[in-house]
Amino acid sequence: MRNVKKSTWIKISSTVAIVILGFFIMSSLGSAEKHSNQHEVPPEVRLVETESVNFGDLVLEIEGNGIVQSQRTLNYVSEATGVVMLAKNDLRDGTFVREGETVLEVDSREVENTLFTLRSEFMNAIAAVLPEIKIEDGNAYNKWYEYFTRLDIHSTTPELPEISVSQEKIKLSGRGIFSKYYAVKNQEILVSKYKIVAPFSGYIQSQGIIAGSFVSRGQQLLTLNDAKNVEVIVPLLVDEINLVDFSTTPTVKVYTDKSDSAILTGKIYRKETMLNRNSQTLNVYVTLTNDKLNPYFLPGNYVSLKISGRKLNNVARIPRYVVDNDHYVFTMEDGKLGRQKVDVITIQGDVAIIKNTVSDDMKIVTTILQKPLIGMNIKSANETLELKEEVTDIDEESTLSQAD
């Protein structure tokens, strides 16, 4: 019986000892694992690109675009009836004519003969009244005799001399001088309608008219477009209009994306005062001269423009994409991600222009972050790159010194 009790106590004691030993072993292993976890998980640092904000003075350039149009476009309708004697290049579409060149001429022999007859009658009337004027007033005679000598049946009739004496006016009216004079002037106007002379250099738009064909009064003849003096209509937002100084004539650079060397300089010569209801824009009109008839600036071409604007003081340019809709940007502050609001003056293309309402040493984050958390640890990739360059320069200097 004693042996049974003894063996039972031995088993119980062994079991208790094993349990106590296992407890101490598990406790030591758990403490070691906890201590190990604390050292193996370092805080996460995200690598980003940053950009310093540099403030200074800036002359704005407001960008726009538009289509080149001719400043002067003339539509010619026939005011004469007759056979075409001359038509420049048969008035084919695209024909270029120079200033002062005859574009179209209609047979005017009949109306010219009538003009010569009227001029002859006018000259005869003055010749008939000269002896009477000589007897009554020597000064008036000298005046009208000098005028008579300037008359030529084949030349434009000059303006009548000034008449200051009523007696002289009565005598001239009685001889029909005034009626004959204005009959001549009306016929001269009629003759001028039989010939079209280009008032400026440009291109013709026409269905074509050949010599020998018949034209009648009211017939559409051609359209002449000025190719040298052109304009561009540029729609601008109201905020952009306010950035242009109209106290002086703003200059404009006109260029095309198709050629880097094709640039012309123009100026704004007028602007509209009625806001476009649909686009909420105002049109400004830019005039320029295409003396060399560069094809990139002929009417109908699409061009881009940069309008010189106001001078802004103490502003900075930053990438547009880093500014959100509420005008906030992400910043790096003491190695952590921050968020700060900026005062945006205007946005031009891919650039936003901001006022100096932030610290000069502020660095904005230009990397597009996925799920950014304010206060998370970040590191500038720009500084890392600069550090590597400095280390490379030092290694090169050491190598050179050893070689020397």
Side-chain angles (χ1 to χ4, degrees), residues 56-235:
D57 297 338
L58 175 67
V59 177
L60 287 178
E61 282 189 335
I62 295 87
E63 296 183 355
N65 48 62
I67 298 176
V68 179
Q69 300 179 4
S70 176
Q71 281 193 48
R72 296 181 289 182
T73 300
L74 294 180
N75 295 315
Y76 284 96
V77 178
S78 177
E79 296 183 89
T81 299
V83 178
V84 175
M85 303 295 292
L86 171 67
K88 173 66 183 291
N89 198 26
D90 294 336
L91 295 189
R92 292 188 178 95
D93 201 14
T95 299
F96 178 76
V97 294
R98 299 189 180 278
E99 181 178 354
E101 185 177 4
T102 300
V103 180
L104 180 72
E105 186 174 0
V106 179
D107 187 3
S108 61
R109 290 174 294 181
E110 184 177 350
V111 292
E112 283 183 349
N113 290 335
T114 301
L115 174 61
F116 295 150
T117 301
L118 294 175
R119 283 175 179 168
S120 176
E121 293 176 355
F122 177 62
M123 293 173 66
N124 292 338
I126 294 178
V129 79
L130 280 177
E132 296 181 15
I133 297 176
K134 184 177 182 181
I135 296 173
E136 297 175 356
D137 190 343
N139 293 330
Y141 171 78
N142 294 332
K143 177 178 62 177
W144 282 99
Y145 179 78
E146 190 273 333
Y147 177 77
F148 178 77
T149 58
R150 289 193 288 125
L151 293 176
D152 186 350
I153 197 171
H154 295 289
S155 301
T156 302
T157 303
E159 295 292 331
L160 290 173
E162 183 179 355
I163 302 173
S164 56
V165 180
S166 58
Q167 188 68 25
E168 179 184 355
K169 185 183 299 184
I170 293 172
K171 185 174 291 295
L172 294 173
S173 298
R175 295 300 181 94
I177 300 298
F178 297 114
S179 60
K180 288 181 172 55
Y181 169 77
Y182 286 108
V184 170
K185 301 305 288 186
N186 285 336
Q187 193 67 17
E188 288 178 349
I189 294 173
L190 180 61
V191 170
S192 67
K193 295 178 179 180
Y194 281 73
K195 180 186 292 187
I196 296 177
V197 178
F200 51 81
S201 300
Y203 290 92
I204 289 176
Q205 286 180 297
S206 174
Q207 299 298 324
I209 296 176
I210 63 175
S213 59
F214 185 85
V215 295
S216 57
R217 187 185 301 271
Q219 180 179 338
Q220 177 69 39
L221 298 176
L222 59 100
T223 299
L224 181 62
N225 296 309
D226 190 346
K228 290 186 177 181
N229 300 294
V230 294
E231 67 180 13
V232 183
I233 303 175
V234 187

